[in-house]
Amino acid sequence: MQHSTKVGFCLKTKEGKYVLVRKTTRLELHAVDQSNKPKMIVHIWRQEGQIEQMAFCFLYNNGHYFPKVDGNNLQVEKFDTLENLLDNLTDHHRFAKNNVGSDEYYTLRSVVSGQHICMNRPSNRLSLTTNVDQSAHFWVTNDND
């Protein structure tokens, strides 16, 4: 499987909110209206004839944080170092990019659970769902978008 990395990208919801790591009672992913685009690193795996898979590295408080699926929960895992990163990222950190047939938006389906990342209302906290509606549509954008 071929691996590539893109630096300086953002994950954006269909409603125009940016996804970032936020600490409430624990570290979570939230979608927010923000003028400063939160930066992340996108790790992409491609294999001919298969759906593209991605792992997202959010930069927060000088740390590197990855969404991770644990059962039916979407968690955020901190990596103290990016050394041997590819050895430490598992399928629990990977999400398949599924085109939903509308513009540049797509869903992000967990490779291990088959559930999709979605934005909950009114908290704008991200979690997992089996329902693929507009709250589960995302877009990876670079600094210039």
Side-chain angles (χ1 to χ4, degrees):
M1 195 174 280
Q2 180 185 2
H3 173 263
S4 63
T5 303
K6 294 183 177 182
V7 178
F9 278 66
C10 304
L11 185 61
K12 197 172 178 180
T13 68
K14 190 160 188 173
E15 288 132 2
K17 296 181 183 295
Y18 292 97
V19 176
L20 52 72
V21 173
R22 179 178 280 173
K23 183 163 179 135
T24 53
T25 55
R26 65 174 200 250
L27 289 171
E28 299 175 321
L29 292 177
H30 283 262
V32 298
D33 292 313
Q34 186 163 322
S35 59
N36 295 345
K37 296 178 185 179
K39 301 293 184 253
M40 67 177 189
I41 301 167
V42 183
H43 294 273
I44 302 169
W45 289 266
R46 289 186 181 97
Q47 187 166 344
E48 192 173 324
Q50 292 189 359
I51 294 175
E52 187 174 84
Q53 295 178 2
M54 300 179 174
F56 303 99
C57 176
F58 291 88
L59 308 176
Y60 174 74
N61 281 351
N62 298 318
H64 298 86
Y65 296 84
F66 287 82
K68 178 182 180 181
V69 174
D70 183 17
N72 290 323
N73 298 311
L74 182 64
Q75 299 181 344
V76 178
E77 181 176 9
K78 181 180 181 186
F79 281 69
D80 291 321
T81 177
L82 294 183
E83 260 182 63
N84 303 317
L85 175 67
L86 295 180
D87 295 332
N88 294 322
L89 287 176
T90 68
D91 284 348
H92 292 268
H93 299 98
R94 293 185 188 185
F95 297 88
K97 177 181 169 181
N98 294 307
N99 188 319
V100 291
S102 62
D103 306 322
E104 61 274 345
Y105 294 94
Y106 42 83
T107 63
L108 299 170
R109 182 182 48 80
S110 166
V111 172
V112 293
S113 76
Q115 296 175 303
H116 298 265
I117 296 178
C118 73
M119 181 179 70
N120 294 308
R121 289 183 187 38
S123 70
N124 291 341
R125 184 179 59 84
L126 273 63
S127 65
L128 296 173
T129 184
T130 55
N131 183 21
V132 181
D133 61 14
Q134 300 254 346
S135 70
H137 294 188
F138 294 91
W139 176 33
V140 175
T141 177
N142 65 27
D143 293 58
N144 302 319
D145 292 338

